[in-house]
Amino acid sequence: LGNTMFVANDVALNQSQPWFVPASAINALRREAIEQLEQARLAGWVRPQRKAAVEPPVEYPEKTLSYLANVYNQLAWQFYRKHGVEVIDAAYEAHQEEGEVSLMITKHCLRFSYNLCPKQAKGVKGVMGQVRAEPMTLKSGNETYTLKFDNVRNKAAIMADIERLETWVKYKNGLCSDCMGSCCSMPVEVRLPDLVRMGVVDEFELEEPVKNIAKRLEKQRVIQHFNFKHGIFTLARRANGDCQYLDQQTRLCTIYERRPNTCRNHPKIGPKPGFCAYTRNPKAARPVQPVKLSG
């Protein structure tokens, strides 16, 4: 039944004479039946008993924790001690660290954001060797924090800004193999055939007014917006901007074989045809998903 877990093996109609029933009424009955089935499953579900704690407790992979572990209260300290940590430094907020210490480590490069990265100036006549980004500081009240940059690790930092097309790189085969899937953080516009292929709309629903379909999908948070004039649906995204069908761990599409045409045609068709917002994945190389350009 649609994209639910239920399947209708047989449908029997007991009627004294033929009746005309609008497709919208049949779809409403189907949705009502699915809702009742789901409620029945929930009512009959028995919560399993909580498993007993593992004894002895699983060993924590590290025996020593610095202030960066942010252990600031007694419960956190007891947790790590229980799991075998022998040396536990207090969090930075405890003010037990002396001298200059690292307060925050991030892969977001401020030099890149402010166009002060020496690598950006590489090859630009009259600029290379003149870009100076240090020292950079952050100020918060009376506190001043000095920023330091690790040029080796910066190779894994953001290589392109989705909002700035001038930072996009020209697409070439194999580029997706070590990318963070940054194109999956862009708005995705789809049409009804895409939604059918994705499994969120049934073919027999196409007889319904498209506004009714859009209303249901918006209620289910499948789409974020519907443009009635052009018949375009915009898929909903997560709070961090990622597509809801993007696996957060592997950064791979979970519906790759059923993905919409917008994704299939990217980057040949897009904000900057032939270019993409390539972002290098700092982790090990992942399986390559072939990108076939239409045409």
Side-chain angles (χ1 to χ4, degrees):
L1 297 176
N3 61 337
T4 69
M5 67 181 73
F6 305 108
V7 177
N9 293 323
D10 185 36
V11 178
L13 299 176
N14 297 322
Q15 52 188 12
S16 58
Q17 64 183 55
W19 295 95
F20 171 77
V21 181
S24 58
I26 296 177
N27 290 332
L29 290 173
R30 175 179 57 84
R31 287 192 287 269
E32 182 179 348
I34 291 173
E35 184 177 352
Q36 292 180 7
L37 287 171
E38 290 176 341
Q39 291 176 355
R41 291 186 76 251
L42 288 174
W45 184 71
V46 178
R47 181 182 294 275
Q49 292 185 351
R50 186 172 183 176
K51 293 183 179 179
V54 177
E55 293 294 343
V58 178
E59 288 287 325
Y60 194 74
E62 299 177 14
K63 294 295 184 182
T64 302
L65 293 179
S66 70
Y67 68 96
L68 292 174
N70 201 33
V71 179
Y72 191 50
N73 57 58
Q74 189 65 22
L75 289 177
W77 187 88
Q78 291 175 356
F79 171 83
Y80 286 111
R81 288 290 294 178
K82 177 181 177 181
H83 290 274
V85 180
E86 298 173 357
V87 179
I88 305 175
D89 290 344
Y92 178 80
E93 289 80 0
H95 303 290
Q96 296 183 13
E97 297 293 328
E98 298 181 357
E100 288 190 357
V101 295
S102 297
L103 182 60
M104 181 177 65
I105 300 174
T106 175
K107 292 181 180 179
H108 176 74
C109 184
L110 291 178
R111 291 196 301 189
F112 185 90
S113 298
Y114 285 99
N115 296 321
L116 293 174
C117 178
K119 296 179 182 179
Q120 287 180 288
K122 186 176 181 180
V124 180
K125 187 176 181 180
V127 177
M128 185 60 181
Q130 300 179 19
V131 176
R132 295 290 183 270
E134 297 185 50
M136 291 183 70
T137 58
L138 292 178
K139 292 187 177 181
S140 176
N142 296 326
E143 298 288 341
T144 300
Y145 305 98
T146 302
L147 304 183
K148 295 183 179 180
F149 299 88
D150 186 334
N151 291 329
V152 175
R153 295 191 179 188
N154 276 350
K155 292 181 180 179
I158 295 176
M159 300 294 292
D161 185 344
I162 292 179
E163 302 296 332
R164 297 167 55 203
L165 298 182
E166 66 272 16
T167 66
W168 288 28
V169 300
K170 188 172 181 59
Y171 176 79
K172 60 182 180 180
N173 289 332
L175 200 62
C176 298
S177 62
D178 63 348
C179 181
M180 286 290 290
S182 51
C183 59
C184 299
S185 298
M186 300 168 58
V188 178
E189 296 180 342
V190 301
R191 296 183 180 274
L192 271 177
D194 294 311
L195 296 173
V196 172
R197 183 168 62 246
M198 292 166 60
V200 295
V201 173
D202 293 321
E203 290 189 3
F204 56 79
E205 283 187 279
L206 300 180
E207 300 179 10
E208 289 190 39
V210 67
K211 281 188 175 181
N212 292 354
I213 298 176
K215 186 176 181 180
R216 175 179 68 81
L217 295 177
E218 192 168 357
K219 183 178 180 181
Q220 296 176 346
R221 298 183 180 179
V222 175
I223 66 170
Q224 180 179 346
H225 175 71
F226 172 61
N227 186 319
F228 179 76
K229 181 178 179 180
H230 297 95
I232 294 177
F233 303 79
T234 302
L235 295 181
R237 294 188 289 172
R238 294 191 178 97
N240 64 354
D242 282 348
C243 173
Q244 59 183 311
Y245 297 104
L246 180 69
D247 189 293
Q248 297 293 282
Q249 298 298 323
T250 64
R251 306 297 296 176
L252 296 175
C253 178
T254 58
I255 59 166
Y256 186 75
E257 298 299 329
R258 297 179 285 116
R259 67 194 188 283
N261 285 335
T262 299
C263 304
R264 294 171 184 265
N265 294 329
H266 184 78
K268 185 173 182 179
I269 299 177
K272 190 175 183 180
F275 289 76
C276 65
Y278 170 76
T279 303
R280 185 176 180 274
N281 190 342
K283 297 182 180 180
R286 56 197 179 95
V288 179
Q289 287 183 337
V291 176
K292 183 178 180 181
L293 302 182
S294 62

